[in-house]
Every structure is written in C-alpha cells, then in structure tokens.
Amino acid sequence: MSGEQQTVTVDLGERSYQILIGEGLLHETGKLAQQAGISSKSACLVVSDSHVAAAGHLKKVTDSLRNSGYRVAEAVIPAGEESKTLAVAEQVFDQAFDAGLDRKSAIFALGGGVVGDLAGFVAATYMRGIAFVQLPTTVLAHDSSVGGKVAVNHPKGKNVIGAFHQPKQVVYDISALRTLPLREIRSGVAEVIKHGIIWDRSFFEWIETSIDPIIELDSRILANMLARSCAVKAAVVSKDEKEDNLRAILNFGHTLGHAIESLARYGTYTHGEAISIGMVFAAELSCELGKTDRASAERIRNLLQRAGLPTEMPANLDPAALLQSMKQDKKATGGKLTFVLMSEIGRVEIINDIDETVVLNLLRRLGRSS
Amino acid sequence: MSGEQQTVTVDLGERSYQILIGEGLLHETGKLAQQAGISSKSACLVVSDSHVAAAGHLKKVTDSLRNSGYRVAEAVIPAGEESKTLAVAEQVFDQAFDAGLDRKSAIFALGGGVVGDLAGFVAATYMRGIAFVQLPTTVLAHDSSVGGKVAVNHPKGKNVIGAFHQPKQVVYDISALRTLPLREIRSGVAEVIKHGIIWDRSFFEWIETSIDPIIELDSRILANMLARSCAVKAAVVSKDEKEDNLRAILNFGHTLGHAIESLARYGTYTHGEAISIGMVFAAELSCELGKTDRASAERIRNLLQRAGLPTEMPANLDPAALLQSMKQDKKATGGKLTFVLMSEIGRVEIINDIDETVVLNLLRRLGRSS
C-alpha cells in the first residue's frame, strides 16, 4: 500500500473545497472534518447504505467522528438506485430531525452515487441547506462527488428532483474500493474515460496504457486516475457551476445513456454501462454528422471494451421509445434533442436541435448490427 | 378603484426582481411574464389552491398567459397548511413532468403563503431549479413573496424541508384581497406591523394612524402599506440573502410564534395570530431583560389589538412544551435559545443564548394572567 495522498481543489470562490484521495482516509474523517470547519457543537448524521455498512466502512467513520468529539447519528438506507426517492429522503429527514440536527450540523454521505445524491439532497433542503461531506466508496462516485449536483429520482425520470449543493469536503479512501464487485469498478471507469474524451487527450492516452492496473486496483495508479479525473470535472464545474453552458459537455454519452437507464429494467445496466453505450453512440453520431473521423470513434469503442464495458446497443429497447425518452430528458428544452458531439478525442461541442430522424436511423442501424 | 401601481425592486445582484402592486394585475400576468423574460417556448405550470381557483383568480391567470402564447398546465392543491407536505409536492412534480416542463419552464404560484412555499419548493428542486413567479392573493403572502425562502413542512416541524429560490417576478393584484375572509386580512397585517417594529419606526407610526382603512381594504392605503412592508423585507433580505446574520431579525415574534403553531392544533391560530402573540412575548421579554421600556411594549400590544389580533398567551399550551419546541426550532443551534429583542420601536437585536429559566418563568406568568 502506498501512503501517497493526492489533493484536488475545486475552485468555486467562497464555496471552494478540497478532495483528499488516499489509502485509509476514512479513519481520519473526524480530524479532517474539524479541518474543514465542521462544528462539533451540533449533532451530525452519517448516511450510508446496507452494503457499505456491512463492509465495515460505516464503523470506521462513526468511530473517527466520535473520537474527534462529534455527536453522531447514523441513517442506513437499502443499497441500490431504488432508494433514491422522495420517500427514502423523507425517512432521512426524520432521522436528521430526531437526531437534533440544526443549521450548523453536517451530513456525511458515505457510499456511492446513490448515497451521495440522496444524502446531498437532504443536506441541500434540510432547514434550507446544511453542510455536507462526501465520503465516496465507489469509483463512479468520484464523478458525482464533484460538482454539487444532488437529486432523487421521480417515478418518471432520473434526478428530476434535486438541487445544487456543494460539499464542504470530499474524503476519498481508495481502500474502500477493494470491497467493490468488479462490475462496479468497470462502471466507474466509464466516467473516467469520458473525462479524457471531453477535456484531456493526454489523460485518455494515459488510460489506454494504464487500463489493466486500473482494473486491478493498483493503489498508485488508482489515486492518480481519480485525481486526474476529478481535476477534469473540477475544471469544468469551476467554469460553469450551474450548467448554463460549458458544464453540459459532461453529458457526453448521457443523452442516450439516461434514456437507456430509464427504459431498461433497473439493474440491467449500471449507470456506467449505460453511458458506455451512450458514448459509443455519441461518437458514432459525431461520425455520421461529419464532426469526427472513424478512427477516433473506434479508439473510444476499443478502450471501453478493454475496460470490460458494453458497447453494443440494447437489442430489446425500441429506438422510437429511446428517442421519446431523450426528448423528455431534463437537459432537453422545448422538445429539442441536444447531444454532446466529439470533434476529436479531448474536444467536444454541444449541438442543439439535432435532426431526430438522423438519431432514430442511427439507433436502428446500430441496434440491428448488435 | 385606484389605477395607481407601486413597484418595489428587490436588489440581489443578478437575482434581482421586481414586485408589482396594483389593482387588476392578474389580467396582465402573461404580458408581465414576457417582460420578466419567461420563455413561452417551454410549457409552464400554474399552482393554486381550491379556494383561489373557486374565487375565479386562476382563470384570470391562465387566460392571460394563454393570450400571451404560453402553454399552460394547472395544479390545484387543497387549500390549507395541510397541503404543505412532501407528498403534495410529489403530486405537483408529477403534474409538472406530465405537462412537459423543462429547464426553461416557469412555475407560477397563485395563492397565499402555502401555495407560494410549496410551488416555490417544487420550482427550486424540479430539474434542480426552474423559474418561479409569485402571484400573492393574501396580505400575509406579501411577506413570504420577498426573500426566496421556500419550503414544505415535516411532520415534526414547520418549513424543515426547503431551499432558497428567488422568484423572477412578483405580481400582486390587490383586488384578490377583497375575496379574503377578514381573519386572514388581520393575520397578514401582523407581519406588516412586525416590519415597522424591526426596521422602520415611521412606518409603524403610519400603521397606527392607518389601521382602520387598512382593515377596510382601502385601495390606495393598501397598496402603500404593501409597498412599504415589502420594501422593509427587501432591504433586509438584500443585505443578507441567506440568513447568516441580519436576516434573522425578521424572526421577531417567530421564536414563540413557531412553537405555538407547532403545538396548537392546526387551525387554532393562523401564522399571523401566532406571531402576534409571539411579538407581544418578545416585547415583554425585552422589558424583562431591561432592553426596552414598558411603554413601547404596550404600544405594540395596543396596535396588534386594534388590528384585531390575539395578544394573550394560549392558556392551554404547556410552557415547558413551548420551551422544548423553541429549542428544537430550526433557528436554534446547539440547543440554545435565540430571540430577536427590541431596544425601541424600529430597532431590534438578535440575542443568542438566552437563559431558559427567564423564558419559562415569563411564559408561565403571562399564561396565568391571560
């Protein structure tokens, strides 16, 4: 194990915060919370899920916080996307209230994206917003832990109910990744690859050479990868905190990815798997519209395949239904289709008002070939 | 009827907006929304309640919006505080989604504080925040329509789940006030009087001379009163948007007022009635602690009585339970009691860490004398 620690600063003026990445950091949660200015006079709440608690991570956090003088309550939600609802949020509000959380309190989100999004939504809206600390335990959560987007799902769409709420701190203990199933590791790498495609060609090339040790969770490589990937996200978010413009490039692969997630049965695809297919589609659409060359699209498909991610269109999903879902996506406005398209690896642009016939035909063609 | 129109600007940098006050403005909603930059390309949603819809105000608004080219959906919630829940919010999210609202859409809140708070909460969190226009139909809503505080209630406390979300515009048609029961008029005047006490002695004195025509809904007097009262709120909020400090003076009378509201059966006291009692208590506590003189406290009690508001402690509420509730209020931090106390009419200060024995004894004494 390497003792090496990486720090990424997310520069958002008075809402700036640090992402600390290293081995064994969960044991330091209390000390780090003090450093981030979280008051120990008010009670705090650690939100986690049943898997993370069973893996022993929750106890590390509550022990560390208590050792630093915090009064700590716990809320453990069932693991899985099904927990990301207003109903579960209401239970967490209840636990926060019962634990006596006040306006100076903090909520710690220990887990993956579901825990982060849900606990973040509660922190954003409990007493109109209290402090929030992210403790990601998955690779994918490196992405959602930067940017301040928090949300729960609506029965008719993902992340429909949400807010922007920046964490005070992100503490990323990479030893927690070692208790993850391989499929989740691979899924998280999808967003990492996306960051290379949209912003940083040399990072993409580094991933091409490092993909094997990444999947094997080499400690040094992993810390580097997470720091570089967080840095891309942080750079984009710093320039556009509320997604008026630039930030939308982060949706590369997500237009179709979200549609797949909302139409496929929960559990068929992870978020990373759905956006892997979505990225292949976005690259193909970029070719189709003459924005990029075939070689770049193939290179993306190859890297995703090497990461063990799916790259074929789901044969059982109806192209027309996927199109309809994309038009209802919350990124769509006025019923127009928006895609992030690639000009080359490391460079993308946002194209509004894409001809839906082109999209539908490509969906059909790729669906048949799969 | 006077054609006179008043405009108050709430100065919040790029989130600044105008409050337009006058007779018959609901018929202009569409034109005014265009002026405020609300896009008619995306669908919009008017949220209202059963009373307001029955009084004919909803039709004025939807007609006006449609005449200006907006696609309009309606969500009518049951009138009353009982609607201010996450469950009702979830229904409105549903209607927003079904109506096809996207990120460029707006939600119009037509009604009193409940509609404003609930619809504002939905607007704050639907797709992480969309545009919001307030159309207040009560006197009390003049207060909640300035300041951007939106929320729903938690079973264990009022406004526990909420956000800060500034409206794009407030359109205040005073003709809507003529369909209100007298009790609601009086309740709204409680917050008006509060604004005089905390910020503007000459306004307080103007209310003393104008209280009879106010209660009789004299058009010119009413427009003046609302404009001046909104101006006080706007001045405070402009200096402290997120209640870090100064904004807390708006809670004059609310520490006890909220406790009364949460312990008394819903419907026993309106919000204005509860804070009327709370203001009398805050003034008495100010005397008790040597902050102000008896004459000022009596003058406040007299004006509230002339406005037809209750000023006696509820005999059936247990002082110890009221104290406990105040300690759990979301304004409390670390279990300490905070009160806004008065030094003179027009001037208040925030006192943290008030001795709870003093509060309890005063609650008991005033409760016995009532």
Side-chain angles (χ1 to χ4, degrees), chain A residues 198-213:
Chain A
I198 64 168
W199 195 260
D200 187 341
R201 185 183 183 91
S202 77
F203 181 40
F204 183 90
E205 289 166 348
W206 179 87
I207 305 168
E208 287 183 317
T209 62
S210 315
I211 189 67
D212 298 335

Side-chain angles (χ1 to χ4, degrees), chain A residues 137-142 174-193 211-218 222 225-226 270 272-273 307-309:
Chain A
T137 61
T138 66
V139 178
L140 185 56
H142 89 277
I174 57 178
S175 66
L177 305 179
R178 298 185 204 292
T179 57
L180 287 180
L182 183 59
R183 186 178 176 192
E184 266 193 72
I185 307 280
R186 296 184 192 283
S187 295
V189 171
E191 295 278 6
V192 174
I193 292 171
I211 189 67
D212 298 335
I214 286 170
I215 299 298
E216 287 155 17
L217 301 180
D218 174 280
L222 212 52
M225 177 195 81
L226 291 171
T270 65
E273 288 165 354
L309 287 160

Side-chain angles (χ1 to χ4, degrees), chain A residues 47 176 313:
Chain A
V47 180
M313 285 294 297

Side-chain angles (χ1 to χ4, degrees), chain B residues 60-76:
Chain B
K60 290 180 212 166
V61 170
T62 54
D63 282 354
S64 173
L65 285 167
R66 287 187 182 119
N67 286 339
S68 293
Y70 289 92
R71 279 181 295 131
V72 186
E74 298 167 21
V76 178

Side-chain angles (χ1 to χ4, degrees), chain B residues 41-53:
Chain B
K41 286 186 192 151
S42 297
C44 65
L45 179 70
V46 183
V47 180
S48 193
D49 73 26
S50 45
H51 289 175
V52 173

Side-chain angles (χ1 to χ4, degrees), chain B residues 69 132 244 296 317 321:
Chain B
F132 171 44
D244 289 313
S296 299
L317 294 184

